[in-house]
């Protein structure tokens, strides 16, 4: 290998150092997978997949695949035809305890081997982690899945959840963090943004002195150490980059004085805001409330804390540059009862509403 002149090597080193200091380069992460990712602190949203009793047109099946079978397809942007699967009962079994999965994404199950459930009962069979290999632009890309088949009276479902994530050390503005990139919506990619919190992916960061990870959404902005960056994760999760958001513009969000903490999220990212005098500075764009926390004291000096979350889809609001956006959140709230009919039975639940 030809050696660089000392000056050239020094310039390369300085250029790399500057990039690292400002977090503009692609920072590579390591692939992790686990049968129970929640035990490692990684939580994902399972995706329900519809199933049929007959094989989809064009999907070849093994000759041994007979009897009662449930065919399903996991939709992912990483495979144009999705990933086909078939859950079936092994010989003399009363439950769907085996599965075929199109692990090489070639649209066929005939070249696959059956996988037995690692845990099964009369009502549930659990499979995984099952390795899927996508054909990416730069070569094969692995992704692991956990699959659960449920069988209850009036409740038959197949759920698919990502069993993998990417993790590694990143440097942002000279500070080191442990970074986790999570396919939260379980669709095989790691760069999804959305206003619906269940349809986006997540970035988790933990500083060297921190005891736990902090959650962030994949979106336009990520707030680190009081500064805003544009996060750019690779679609396959292999790396992430953080670029200073020099183009960010801001407005203010106004809330009742009792609101002490406010979390906002959506396609623009995730913000955990400390409220000062009923206001917080927020990047311009559309947001949705993740959670608010209200703190008040009664005449006896006791502090009362109230939290609000689970806002409907139509609660999206917009922050405009240089303007104030008022949020009608926090107390007062009203107590009520929600009632619903489920078959021949009725369900009742207490509810507090703003």
């Amino acid at each position: 290998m030809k050696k660089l002149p000392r000056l050239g090597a020094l310039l390369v080193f300085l250029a790399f150092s500057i990039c690292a200091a400002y977090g503009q380069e692609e920072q590579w992460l390591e692939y992790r997978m686990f049968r129970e990712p929640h035990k490692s602190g990684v939580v994902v949203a399972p995706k329900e997949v519809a199933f049929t009793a007959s094989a989809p047109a064009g999907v070849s099946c093994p000759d041994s695949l007979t009897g009662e079978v449930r065919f399903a397809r996991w939709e992912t942007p990483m495979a144009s035809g999705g990933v086909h699967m078939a859950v079936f009962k092994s010989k003399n079994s009363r439950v769907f305890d085996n599965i075929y999965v199109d692990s090489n994404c070639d649209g066929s199950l005939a070249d696959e081997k059956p996988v037995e459930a690692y845990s099964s009962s009369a009502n549930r069979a659990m499979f995984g982690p099952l390795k899927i290999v996508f054909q990416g632009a730069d070569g094969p890309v692995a992704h692991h899945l956990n699959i659960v088949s449920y069988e209850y009276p009036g409740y038959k479902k197949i759920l698919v959840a990502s069993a993998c994530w990417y993790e590694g050390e990143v440097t942002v503005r000279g500070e080191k963090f442990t970074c986790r990139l999570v396919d939260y919506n379980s669709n095989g990619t790691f760069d999804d943004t959305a206003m619906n919190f269940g349809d986006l992916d997540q970035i988790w960061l933990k500083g060297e002195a921190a005891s736990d990870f902090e959650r962030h959404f994949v979106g336009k902005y990520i707030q680190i150490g009081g500064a805003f960056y544009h996060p750019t994760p690779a679609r396959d999760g292999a790396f992430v980059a953080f670029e200073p958001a020099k183009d960010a513009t801001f407005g203010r969000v106004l809330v009742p004085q009792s609101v002490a903490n406010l979390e906002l999220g959506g396609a623009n990212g995730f913000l955990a805001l400390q409220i000062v005098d009923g206001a917080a500075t927020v990047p311009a764009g559309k947001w949705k409330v993740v959670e608010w926390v209200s703190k008040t004291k009664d005449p006896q000096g006791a502090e009362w804390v109230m939290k609000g979350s689970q806002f409907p889809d139509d609660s999206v609001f917009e922050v405009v540059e240089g303007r104030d956006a008022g949020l009608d959140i926090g107390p007062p709230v009203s107590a009520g009862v929600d009632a619903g009919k489920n078959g021949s039975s009725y369900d009742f639940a207490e509810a507090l509403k703003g």
Side-chain angles (χ1 to χ4, degrees):
M1 180 181 293
K2 184 178 179 180
K3 293 185 178 180
L4 289 170
R6 288 188 177 181
L7 179 59
L10 179 60
L11 290 175
V12 170
F13 173 77
L14 288 175
F16 177 81
S17 299
I18 291 172
C19 287
Y22 289 94
Q24 295 178 347
E25 84 286 0
E26 297 170 353
Q27 306 193 62
W28 294 83
L29 307 172
E30 294 182 358
Y31 184 80
R32 306 283 178 88
M33 69 91 176
F34 195 28
R35 174 173 289 170
E36 298 176 291
H38 64 276
K39 290 186 176 180
S40 294
V42 176
V43 178
V44 300
K47 184 179 293 290
E48 182 179 353
V49 294
F51 61 85
T52 61
S54 57
V59 176
S60 301
C61 298
D63 294 336
S64 60
L65 190 57
T66 59
E68 190 176 0
V69 183
R70 290 176 181 165
F71 295 92
R73 183 171 67 96
W74 174 55
E75 295 185 7
T76 169
M78 299 296 286
S80 58
V83 176
H84 292 276
M85 61 188 71
V87 184
F88 66 100
K89 298 177 181 179
S90 60
K91 188 177 180 180
N92 300 324
S93 175
R94 299 178 59 184
V95 299
F96 291 83
D97 60 349
N98 271 256
I99 190 171
Y100 281 102
V101 176
D102 182 13
S103 62
N104 57 5
C105 303
D106 66 350
S108 172
L109 297 176
D111 57 345
E112 302 292 343
K113 294 182 178 180
V115 178
E116 186 177 356
Y118 70 83
S119 176
S120 62
S121 65
N123 307 111
R124 184 180 65 177
M126 305 175 71
F127 307 91
L130 303 173
K131 185 178 181 180
I132 310 297
V133 180
F134 304 126
Q135 297 304 316
D138 299 322
V141 177
H143 197 94
H144 283 77
L145 298 177
N146 287 324
I147 300 175
V148 184
S149 175
Y150 289 97
E151 180 78 18
Y152 290 94
Y155 183 88
K156 300 176 182 179
K157 289 187 177 182
I158 297 176
L159 298 181
V160 177
S162 287
C164 58
W165 68 98
Y166 281 84
E167 183 170 327
E169 185 179 276
V170 298
T171 301
V172 183
R173 205 175 55 178
E175 185 178 354
K176 292 182 179 180
F177 296 86
T178 300
C179 175
R180 283 178 177 169
L181 190 54
V182 179
D183 175 25
Y184 180 76
N185 61 354
S186 297
N187 75 338
T189 61
F190 292 81
D191 63 345
D192 296 301
T193 65
M195 289 306 302
N196 187 334
F197 305 149
D199 294 331
L200 47 69
D201 292 324
Q202 297 182 354
I203 299 174
W204 293 72
L205 295 174
K206 182 173 72 171
E208 291 184 296
S211 59
D212 207 350
F213 284 84
E214 290 186 356
R215 178 186 64 173
H216 302 267
F217 294 165
V218 171
K220 185 175 181 180
Y221 299 107
I222 186 169
Q223 189 175 18
I224 304 175
F228 289 94
Y229 297 82
H230 294 310
T232 306
R235 196 176 207 200
D236 62 7
F239 63 81
V240 64
F242 301 96
E243 183 178 356
K246 297 178 181 179
D247 58 343
T249 59
F250 299 88
R252 289 200 313 167
V253 171
L254 307 181
V255 296
Q257 289 289 334
S258 64
V259 175
N261 302 92
L262 178 66
E263 292 181 353
L264 303 178
N268 276 310
F270 173 83
L271 299 177
L273 302 168
Q274 299 292 323
I275 306 301
V276 179
D277 296 328
T281 301
V282 175
K286 292 183 178 181
W287 298 90
K288 186 176 173 183
V289 176
V290 179
E291 181 180 272
W292 56 259
V293 178
S294 173
K295 297 180 180 180
T296 57
K297 288 187 177 182
D298 63 20
Q300 288 72 41
E303 185 176 65
W304 290 75
V305 178
M306 181 179 295
K307 295 182 179 181
S309 60
Q310 299 182 3
F311 289 80
D313 291 338
D314 61 1
S315 62
V316 175
F317 68 97
E318 185 170 7
V319 176
V320 178
E321 179 184 2
R323 297 175 61 181
D324 293 340
L327 287 184
D328 188 15
I329 58 175
V333 300
S334 59
V337 177
D338 286 339
K341 186 176 181 180
N342 183 12
S344 60
S345 63
Y346 291 86
D347 298 322
F348 298 92
E350 295 177 282
L352 293 175
K353 298 181 180 181

